[in-house]
Amino acid sequence: MEMEARNLTEEVLLDYKAGLGTFTKKMPKLAEQYNAFTQECFKEGVLSQKEKQLIALGISLFAQDEYCIIYHLKGCLDQGCSEEEILEAVGVTAAFGGGAAMSQAVTLVQESIEDLNELKQ
């Protein structure tokens, strides 16, 4: 049963999950190993999961990867990041990524924060 998205951000997350599901069916061993690797990378360690999600968000912004931007923005919110912490991380990313990173921040990040907060209500 396919879930209907309540807003654009949720639609992107559902699209990603569907694509990952299809890939996993076609390449189960590769997907299993990739998932195990990323789960290990995001485990609590010397760096908290919250810090790791902020790092991943910054890298996603720098790489201009909209799926990852939304995915890791959700990860940041799920780990308890405030909007101020997220925007500060965005600022650091913009210092390296310039206008391209900033353009994602002032559009996609801010819109997605609103969408994701709306879904919690």
Side-chain angles (χ1 to χ4, degrees):
M1 182 171 137
E2 196 170 304
M3 186 176 158
E4 190 168 323
R6 295 171 283 178
N7 58 41
L8 182 59
T9 300
E10 188 173 45
E11 184 178 326
V12 170
L13 290 169
L14 292 173
D15 186 39
Y16 173 76
K17 286 182 180 183
L20 189 57
T22 300
F23 182 83
T24 299
K25 286 178 186 172
K26 293 178 179 180
M27 301 292 293
K29 189 68 175 172
L30 182 74
E32 175 188 323
Q33 291 179 351
Y34 177 77
N35 289 336
F37 172 71
T38 58
Q39 286 174 5
E40 185 64 31
C41 290
F42 281 89
K43 279 185 181 176
E44 192 81 19
V46 175
L47 294 176
S48 69
Q49 289 180 326
K50 180 178 176 178
E51 292 167 320
K52 291 178 180 190
Q53 286 295 339
L54 286 166
I55 292 167
L57 176 60
I59 293 167
S60 300
L61 283 162
F62 189 82
Q64 298 292 296
D65 185 334
E66 291 185 7
Y67 282 99
C68 284
I69 291 167
I70 291 172
Y71 183 84
H72 290 293
L73 175 61
K74 183 179 184 320
C76 286
L77 293 171
D78 289 348
Q79 290 300 318
C81 291
S82 68
E83 184 173 357
E84 186 176 27
E85 289 172 311
I86 291 166
L87 295 178
E88 191 169 313
V90 163
V92 172
T93 305
F96 286 88
M102 186 59 93
S103 70
Q104 294 288 358
V106 300
T107 56
L108 183 60
V109 170
Q110 292 184 124
E111 291 165 9
S112 295
I113 287 172
E114 290 176 19
D115 282 355
L116 291 167
N117 285 330
E118 179 183 293
L119 295 175
K120 289 181 182 179
Q121 299 172 7

